[in-house]
Structures are given as structure tokens and as C-alpha cells.
């Protein structure tokens, strides 16, 4: 079996939905199962409707947005050019679902409150609508297809807005529901992003969770591969919007892809690799708009022939906090106190570096958490500051992280030298640096106003024109 997941841009209008149908048809021999996101921007619109529903006197605004939602989907139906009966049936399904959504929004307005549970239900309608469009397009192409709501098999906990799948139960239900359809030659078109609790209450897997839905389904069905179709030619050596000459990477490991995802790569959802990695199922990132491009293949071992750095990522809008003091040297538990304090403050640490002299510890957090983190740390170290063990807790907003990732860096000399030479030539200062013991990445902290220039010059240094394969240097 082959799981084929299509993102919002891939199903953004009738023409693209038609392309999706043809792609699925061309892979019919592989017994495909389709997972689809909502149409482009629909989830954002649903989020706005949910927000408006809690406000007073916003009925007209909600009605306008519901009308726009209906128009987008009706235009897509018209563009699919279905047989009259099929088109009428599809229009009725869409109208029924929008009517249900309208009633839910009215209930929220009456209560004056939007619970996480209610929010998940509202946001689920993007996928609940799109699956019917894709299934209809497949049937038009002569491929038997049926829309399937993932709430019928994907069982999760009740952590609404960021639910976690219950794999054993979901696998059993998925095989019972979907395998008979597949064996009968029918393509299930499944809602991404959503699941349900044991009691059948709708949950969502978090924004971007449709990729996660696809790999969960790959795990549940023991699929041969999972293909994630998006709007870029696979995983790139860097963000092509910032580095125009970035190239796609032919093959990489789960480990490398996870690291890139953690440090901000947008192509892959952070949790995407978890289910497939357990079974060693390859993930292929492909471009719906350029389907002949091979994309990027993500496997347990990746490309064993490549060496050195693999790709760069950039995380913006961060803040740096430095705890500094000569009295910190040899004192036990300083780092532990930092983490304990930030855990209590519900702040996640993205980066940590400690000088070999033990005179300072530098951390990086989201900018939105920066002031909270700095205040909490100043309180935690107040006694140490009074006793002169700690000199200061310094806060600096406006930094970015650049991560250089590649499993081959473990055995490749000179990567750090190339990076610092390139930055030095452009007079770009590095505020902090960290490298894990795995040597899988080197992470740098730079000023935000220099981050684009820094990313470009590092990319130029590590991925030269001579490296035509897009592999590591």
C-alpha cells in the first residue's frame, strides 16, 4: 500500500484537485490511500470564524465568512466538471456540512465561550469538506473512491488542539475500516489533521498535523511508502525564498530530517517521522506542481555516500538570555536550576551553550517567551546575584538561530572552519555556538538584522557550484 498525502496548496482549486486525481490514478497499481488537507487558507478562515463567534454582534461577519467558504467550495465543484448527478450530490454534501458548521458557530455565540474541544470541531471542517471534492475528482477519472472521516479510525487522547494518537487502537480500527476498501479496488480519501477520542469527540493533531496523519496511517496500514505532496521539490539545502540557489536533497535520514524540522524547516512537520521510523517506512517529499521531480527520499540511514553538511535552517524572532558570573565556576546545579525555572514558567529552551570556563550559560527562547523567561531567571538567581556568585542575567531580543545539519559531519573535518571563515569575511558576529555530541548539527546565534546575510554566505561556503549533486561538503 502507498499513502499519498496532499497539502492545502495541492488541493487549492479545481485544477489542482484534478491534478491530484491524475497523480493518484497513475499510482493505482500501488493500492493508494489518500490523505488530504483543507483547501488553501480554509483552516485560517475557520480559526477566524471561531474567534468571531465568541464576540458580540458579529453575526454579519460570520455569515459573510460562511458565504465565502461556501463560494470557494462551490467554485471548485463547478471547476471539476462532474456529471450532473454527481455534481448535485456533491453540492448537497457541502451545503449540509456548512449548515452543520453554521449551527456550531451559533452555539458558540450563544454560550459566549470557545472551548478547546469546540475549537477542534470547528477547525475540522476544512478537511471534512475537501475529502469529498478529492473523492469526486477521482471518481470522475474512473478511479473508485470514497471519502473517509479519520475520526472513524484515528483514536487519540483528549488533549484537544494537540492530540496524541493511540497507535495500537488506531491500527486495529484502520485495518478493519480501510483494508477491505483497498482490497476491493476503492481508494479511501481520508481527512488529515483530525482524529477522535475513545468517546468519538473530534480532536486535532495541531497545526500542520496532516503530515502526521499520513505517517500515522502509513504505520497503521504497514504501508510500503508515504508520499507527502507539497509545493516544493522536496527538502532543500536551505529556504529557497532566502537562498534562491538552494537545491533539493535526493536522500536523507530520519535523523537529519527530524533535526531540520526541529530547527524550523517548514516542509516536514516535527512529529512526522515518529510513526514511520519505528517500522522503517520511507517518506518521500514531492511537488504536486512538478510531479516528475524525484523530490527527497527520507529513509532510516539516508545517503551513506554523502559527507559533511546537508542543509541549513533559520529560526527567527528569538530572544537570548545569558547568566554570567565568575562565582558560577564549579557550582553544581546551575544548568538544572535554569531548566527547572523555565519549566515552571512554561518556557521551552531552543538552544543552550555553556562556556568551558563555566562563567556563563546562554539560552535562546521564542521572543514571545523572552521577557517571561528573563524575569523568572532573575528571580531564581536573585540570592546568587546578591552574593556575587552571579553578576547578571542579561536579556537580548532580536536574535536568530542558524542550524547546519548533516549526519556526515561526524567524520568530516573543517565544517566549522568554513562557517566561521565565511561569516568573518562578511563581518558577521556569532553570539553563541553549540554542537551536540552526536555532531549532527552546529547551531549558531546571530543578530536578527544579519541572519539573512549569514544564511546566504554559509550556504555559499558549504554548497558550491561544483557540488552538483546537492550533497554535503
Amino acid at each position: 500500500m502507498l499513502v499519498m498525502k496532499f497539502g492545502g496548496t495541492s488541493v487549492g482549486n479545481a485544477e489542482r484537485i484534478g491534478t491530484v486525481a491524475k497523480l493518484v490514478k497513475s499510482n493505482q497499481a500501488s493500492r493508494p490511500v489518500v490523505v488530504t488537507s483543507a483547501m488553501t487558507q480554509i483552516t485560517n478562515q475557520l480559526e477566524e470564524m471561531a474567534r468571531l463567534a465568541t464576540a458580540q454582534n458579529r453575526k454579519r461577519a460570520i455569515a459573510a465568512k460562511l458565504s465565502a467558504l461556501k463560494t470557494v467550495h462551490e467554485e471548485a465543484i463547478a471547476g471539476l466538471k462532474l456529471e450532473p448527478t454527481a455534481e448535485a450530490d456533491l453540492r448537497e454534501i457541502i451545503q449540509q456540512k456548512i449548515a452543520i458548521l453554521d449551527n456550531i458557530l451559533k452555539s458558540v455565540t450563544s454560550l459566549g465561550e470557545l472551548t478547546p474541544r469546540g475549537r477542534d470541531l470547528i477547525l475540522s471542517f476544512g478537511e471534512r469538506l475537501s475529502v469529498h471534492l478529492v473523492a469526486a475528482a477521482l471518481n470522475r477519472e474512473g478511479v473508485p473512491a470514497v471519502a473517509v472521516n479519520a475520526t472513524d479510525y484515528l483514536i487519540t487522547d483528549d488533549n484537544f488542539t494537540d492530540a496524541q494518537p493511540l497507535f495500537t487502537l488506531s491500527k486495529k480500527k484502520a485495518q478493519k475500516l480501510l483494508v477491505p476498501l483497498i482490497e476491493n479496488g476503492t481508494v479511501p480519501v481520508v481527512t488529515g489533521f483530525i482524529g477522535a477520542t475513545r468517546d468519538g469527540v473530534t480532536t486535532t493533531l495541531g497545526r500542520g498535523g496532516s503530515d502526521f496523519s499520513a505517517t500515522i496511517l502509513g504505520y497503521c496500514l504497514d504501508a510500503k511508502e508515504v508520499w507527502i505532496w507539497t509545493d516544493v521539490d522536496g527538502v532543500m539545502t536551505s529556504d529557497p525564498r532566502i537562498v534562491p540557489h538552494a537545491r533539493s536533497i535526493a536522500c536523507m535520514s530520519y535523523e537529519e530530517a527530524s533535526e531540520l524540522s526541529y530547527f524550523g524547516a517548514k516542509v516536514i512537520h516535527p512529529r512526522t517521522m515518529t510513526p514511520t521510523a519505528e517500522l522503517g517506512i520511507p517518506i518521500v517529499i514531492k511537488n504536486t506542481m512538478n510531479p516528475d521531480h524525484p523530490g527527497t527520499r527520507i529513509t532510516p540511514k539516508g545517503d551513506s555516500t554523502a559527507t559533511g553538511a546537508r542543509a541549513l535552517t533559520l529560526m527567527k524572532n528569538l530572544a537570548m538570555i545569558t547568566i554570567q558570573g565568575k562565582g558560577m565556576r564549579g557550582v553544581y546545579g546551575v544548568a538544572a536550576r535554569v531548566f527547572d525555572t523555565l519549566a515552571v514558567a512554561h518556557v521551552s529552551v531552543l538552544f543552550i551553550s555553556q562556556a568551558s570556563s563555566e562563567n556563563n550559560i546562554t539560552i535562546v527562547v521564542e521572543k514571545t517567551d523572552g521577557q517571561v523567561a528573563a524575569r523568572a531567571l532573575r528571580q531564581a538567581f536573585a540570592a546568587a546575584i546578591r552574593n556575587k556568585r552571579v553578576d547578571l542575567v542579561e536579556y537580548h531580543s532580536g536574535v536568530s538561530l542558524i542550524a547546519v545539519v548533516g549526519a556526515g559531519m561526524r567524520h568530516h573535518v573543517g565544517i566549522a572552519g568554513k562557517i566561521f571563515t565565511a561569516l568573518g569575511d562578511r563581518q558577521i558576529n556569532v553570539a553563541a555556538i553549540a554542537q551536540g555530541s552526536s555532531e549532527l548539527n552546529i547551531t549558531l546565534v546571530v543578530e536578527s538584522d544579519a541572519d539573512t546575510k549569514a544564511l546566504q554566505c554559509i550556504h555559499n561556503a558549504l554548497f558550491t557550484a561544483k557540488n552538483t549533486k546537492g550533497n554535503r561538503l
Side-chain angles (χ1 to χ4, degrees):
M1 278 175 273
L2 171 66
V3 175
M4 302 176 74
K5 183 265 174 179
F6 295 92
T9 54
S10 298
V11 295
N13 55 42
E15 181 181 359
R16 291 182 178 178
I17 292 171
T19 298
V20 165
K22 290 180 171 62
L23 287 170
V24 175
K25 183 177 182 178
S26 68
N27 288 281
Q28 203 169 354
S30 298
R31 301 196 300 164
V33 181
V34 174
V35 177
T36 182
S37 297
M39 294 178 73
T40 309
Q41 295 300 315
I42 294 300
T43 303
N44 290 337
Q45 292 176 28
L46 290 167
E47 185 94 66
E48 178 65 8
M49 289 183 215
R51 187 190 66 79
L52 289 170
T54 62
Q56 296 296 319
N57 303 317
R58 304 311 300 269
K59 290 182 179 179
R60 287 187 178 180
I62 295 171
K65 289 195 173 293
L66 279 170
S67 177
L69 179 72
K70 183 179 179 181
T71 298
V72 167
H73 288 84
E74 287 188 338
E75 286 177 351
I77 293 171
L80 290 176
K81 295 181 170 50
L82 305 173
E83 293 295 326
T85 302
E87 180 174 327
D89 290 345
L90 182 55
R91 287 185 184 278
E92 183 177 355
I93 289 170
I94 297 303
Q95 288 170 2
Q96 288 174 350
K97 293 195 176 299
I98 291 176
I100 293 170
L101 173 61
D102 187 18
N103 287 332
I104 293 168
L105 291 166
K106 287 175 179 175
S107 297
V108 172
T109 300
S110 297
L111 291 171
E113 179 186 6
L114 179 66
T115 64
R117 171 174 170 168
R119 177 183 178 276
D120 275 1
L121 181 57
I122 291 169
L123 295 192
S124 73
F125 275 84
E127 281 73 15
R128 290 174 189 261
L129 293 167
S130 66
V131 286
H132 291 282
L133 300 179
V134 175
L138 281 166
N139 283 306
R140 183 199 64 186
E141 290 292 325
V143 179
V146 61
V148 176
N149 194 330
T151 57
D152 291 334
Y153 76 86
L154 179 46
I155 309 305
T156 73
D157 62 18
D158 60 359
N159 184 27
F160 296 103
T161 76
D162 192 24
Q164 300 298 312
L166 305 179
F167 283 100
T168 301
L169 186 56
S170 297
K171 185 167 188 171
K172 182 178 178 180
K173 284 182 167 287
Q175 293 190 351
K176 183 178 180 180
L177 175 66
L178 301 177
V179 169
L181 291 172
I182 297 164
E183 290 180 345
N184 193 43
T186 299
V187 176
V189 182
V190 182
T191 54
F193 180 53
I194 65 178
T197 66
R198 293 173 186 266
D199 297 327
V201 180
T202 298
T203 58
T204 66
L205 303 176
R207 296 299 294 267
S210 289
D211 289 355
F212 193 28
S213 297
T215 55
I216 292 168
L217 189 55
Y219 170 90
C220 289
L221 297 178
D222 297 316
K224 184 177 180 181
E225 293 184 347
V226 175
W227 292 3
I228 296 177
W229 293 84
T230 180
D231 56 359
V232 294
D233 293 333
V235 181
M236 311 292 283
T237 51
S238 194
D239 186 339
R241 294 168 299 181
I242 302 173
V243 183
H245 54 283
R247 299 184 299 275
S248 64
I249 301 168
C251 183
M252 66 193 321
S253 68
Y254 289 132
E255 193 178 32
E256 290 170 322
S258 295
E259 199 79 6
L260 286 170
S261 175
Y262 175 81
F263 283 104
K266 301 299 184 186
V267 176
I268 314 164
H269 188 275
R271 296 175 293 178
T272 296
M273 274 69 66
T274 306
T276 49
E278 184 173 334
L279 300 181
I281 299 170
I283 300 171
V284 184
I285 312 295
K286 295 176 73 69
N287 189 349
T288 313
M289 274 59 86
N290 187 18
D292 293 331
H293 193 285
T296 299
R297 190 175 183 81
I298 303 171
T299 64
K301 294 185 178 179
D303 184 356
S304 59
T305 65
T307 58
R310 208 69 208 278
L312 315 178
T313 65
L314 173 64
M315 293 183 75
K316 290 175 166 284
N317 299 316
L318 307 177
M320 180 173 68
I321 302 168
T322 299
I323 304 155
Q324 186 168 315
K326 297 181 180 63
M328 290 168 53
R329 185 181 304 171
V331 176
Y332 296 109
V334 175
R337 194 187 306 181
V338 170
F339 281 109
D340 289 345
T341 299
L342 295 179
V344 171
H346 303 290
V347 174
S348 178
V349 177
L350 303 173
F351 167 100
I352 183 167
S353 177
Q354 183 170 15
S356 58
S357 66
E358 301 182 33
N359 284 345
N360 69 69
I361 294 176
T362 297
I363 64 166
V364 173
V365 300
E366 294 283 355
K367 191 173 183 178
T368 51
D369 293 329
Q371 295 284 5
V372 172
R375 186 162 52 249
L377 289 169
R378 284 177 184 136
Q379 290 173 354
F381 287 95
I385 292 171
R386 287 194 300 270
N387 297 332
K388 305 299 183 183
R389 282 189 174 275
V390 172
D391 295 335
L392 55 85
V393 176
E394 184 179 36
Y395 171 77
H396 177 50
S397 64
V399 299
S400 300
L401 284 179
I402 295 176
V404 183
V405 175
M409 293 196 299
R410 294 168 181 152
H411 311 294
H412 198 83
V413 177
I415 299 292
K418 287 184 182 229
I419 293 169
F420 284 105
T421 298
L423 293 173
D425 288 346
R426 298 296 296 272
Q427 297 184 322
I428 299 170
N429 183 53
V430 176
I433 182 170
Q435 182 172 20
S437 59
S438 68
E439 299 183 41
L440 186 62
N441 82 71
I442 298 173
T443 310
L444 314 169
V445 183
V446 298
E447 296 287 342
S448 293
D449 58 6
D451 59 15
T452 295
K453 185 166 66 171
L455 190 74
Q456 291 169 342
C457 74
I458 294 172
H459 191 278
N460 289 340
L462 299 181
F463 302 95
T464 66
K466 292 180 181 179
N467 188 22
T468 55
K469 291 174 66 177
N471 284 332
R472 320 169 195 179
L473 289 178

